[in-house]
Amino acid sequence: MMTNNISTISIIFLLGLKEIRHYKSSLFFLTFMCYLIIILANVCVVLTIILNNELHEPMYILLCAFCINSLYGTAGFYPKFLSDLLSPVHVISYSGCLLQAQMLCSFACSDLSILALMLYDCYLAICRPLEYHSVLLKQTVIYLACLAWLTPICFIAVNSFLTISVKICAVSPPPGGGNVSPPPLQQKKRADSSL
């Protein structure tokens, strides 16, 4: 009977944060303040648009969608980064890494989609002002904004789902930290390319 000796990696070491160990507290404070300002500013804009009936126009609805998407992207990055700044060991699980990649990629794609909708709104308002209110109804804008969120999330989710089945392999960092040397095959390729 033949057994396969396959090891799967469930934890990924983040080596980039070791260089800032002397500035962790000040960097944490600045990052936390940025995080709070982003949350406060976006929540204020969203609540203002939702509570004021005069702002229920296509451009403001899209601005509200943009701010909600910004909160989503912020939630995908800042909490993990802040916890890594405080932690002596900088690791992330493989599933956590995929979740964070899912959130950040879908955030970026949704941002671009909402910006494209904003540009279309400006185009209609400037180039076709007489048709503007018949083309961009409030329900149409809400439908397009939801589509701008859900489409990237679904596409990136398929990519993340397919990535889950891929087994990753990497060289573990040395016990004392430090740099990880590339695998022997890469070292051979580098030696061949220098000839």
Side-chain angles (χ1 to χ4, degrees):
M1 185 164 135
M2 184 183 247
T3 60
N4 293 333
N5 187 9
I6 299 174
S7 60
T8 58
I9 295 176
S10 60
I11 294 178
I12 300 170
F13 292 92
L14 306 172
L15 299 176
L17 293 174
K18 290 186 181 214
E19 304 298 323
I20 58 165
R21 61 181 165 260
H22 301 296
Y23 308 106
K24 277 188 177 184
S25 59
S26 58
L27 188 59
F28 176 82
F29 176 74
L30 289 173
T31 305
F32 186 68
M33 292 307 294
C34 287
Y35 183 45
L36 289 180
I37 289 170
I38 290 169
I39 289 174
L40 183 65
N42 284 307
V43 167
C44 284
V45 170
V46 168
L47 288 178
T48 302
I49 292 171
I50 289 173
L51 297 176
N52 190 347
N53 287 335
E54 294 176 5
L55 298 179
H56 292 180
E57 296 295 322
M59 183 53 91
Y60 294 111
I61 293 171
L62 292 173
L63 181 63
C64 182
F66 194 74
C67 290
I68 291 171
N69 192 51
S70 179
L71 289 171
Y72 169 70
T74 302
F77 172 74
Y78 277 97
K80 175 63 178 148
F81 183 65
L82 288 169
S83 69
D84 281 341
L85 285 175
L86 293 179
S87 175
V89 180
H90 308 172
V91 295
I92 188 169
S93 66
Y94 184 54
S95 58
C97 182
L98 287 176
L99 176 65
Q100 194 171 25
Q102 162 75 25
M103 290 182 76
L104 293 177
C105 289
S106 61
F107 154 72
C109 292
S110 296
D111 250 6
L112 294 176
S113 299
I114 294 169
L115 284 174
L117 288 174
M118 287 178 164
L119 288 173
Y120 181 65
D121 176 68
C122 289
Y123 163 75
L124 287 177
I126 294 169
C127 298
R128 296 168 58 188
L130 298 176
E131 301 172 20
Y132 179 79
H133 290 290
S134 64
V135 173
L136 273 185
L137 301 172
K138 189 164 98 172
Q139 294 83 7
T140 306
V141 173
I142 292 171
Y143 172 75
L144 290 173
C146 290
L147 200 62
W149 277 326
L150 294 177
T151 304
I153 288 173
C154 291
F155 281 132
I156 304 297
V158 168
N159 189 19
S160 297
F161 180 72
L162 293 174
T163 305
I164 289 173
S165 63
V166 174
K167 302 295 181 205
I168 60 171
C169 58
V171 179
S172 299
N179 293 333
V180 178
S181 61
L185 183 60
Q186 285 182 343
Q187 288 176 350
K188 184 176 183 324
K189 286 181 182 177
R190 286 184 188 167
D192 291 342
S193 65
S194 64
L195 294 176

